[in-house]
Amino acid sequence: MRIALAVMLVAALGAGTAVAGTRAKAKVMVMSTAPVTVRGTSFHPRERVTVTVIASSTRTKIVKANSRGAFTATFTRFAIGHCQGYEIRANGNHGSLATLKLTPECPPPAGA
């Protein structure tokens, strides 16, 4: 009985340590399409992040995540049109990576 209890206790402690040591996966989201504004979360604290937006043209910006691993990148004079697909890539210099690809389903033009 004591051995079984000890094994369960060690297993529980090991599982707790594994969960506590994991980080959330880095994520990006588009906050605005005009101008394009990208928000990133769960990057390494103070990590330098290269953010690339691919739409009708490609723009890149380097930003620094804050102490909580979040950033906002605004691409002035760059907009994503209605029903236009785009891709966002955010690549951190400490290994964080987040991507987002959107292919909208738009109705066919009137009369088609």
Side-chain angles (χ1 to χ4, degrees):
M1 177 80 168
R2 285 185 181 175
I3 294 174
L5 183 59
V7 169
M8 288 176 24
L9 181 60
V10 168
L13 288 174
T17 303
V19 171
T22 60
R23 285 187 342 105
K25 184 177 178 186
K27 297 178 191 129
V28 288
M29 62 197 89
V30 175
M31 305 303 289
S32 171
T33 56
V36 175
T37 304
V38 176
R39 173 131 173 92
T41 57
S42 299
F43 284 76
H44 290 280
R46 295 176 177 62
E47 183 173 28
R48 192 179 76 232
V49 181
T50 302
V51 182
T52 303
V53 179
I54 304 164
S56 58
S57 62
T58 300
R59 296 290 189 330
T60 300
K61 185 174 238 187
I62 297 174
V63 296
K64 189 173 182 181
N66 64 19
S67 61
R68 294 181 307 172
F71 67 83
T72 301
T74 301
F75 295 81
T76 56
R77 291 188 248 167
F78 183 52
I80 298 172
H82 177 69
C83 283
Q84 181 180 10
Y86 60 86
E87 184 174 350
I88 310 291
R89 292 181 172 272
N91 191 1
N93 69 326
H94 292 150
S96 299
L97 175 65
T99 60
L100 172 67
K101 188 171 185 176
L102 178 77
T103 306
E105 291 186 30
C106 297

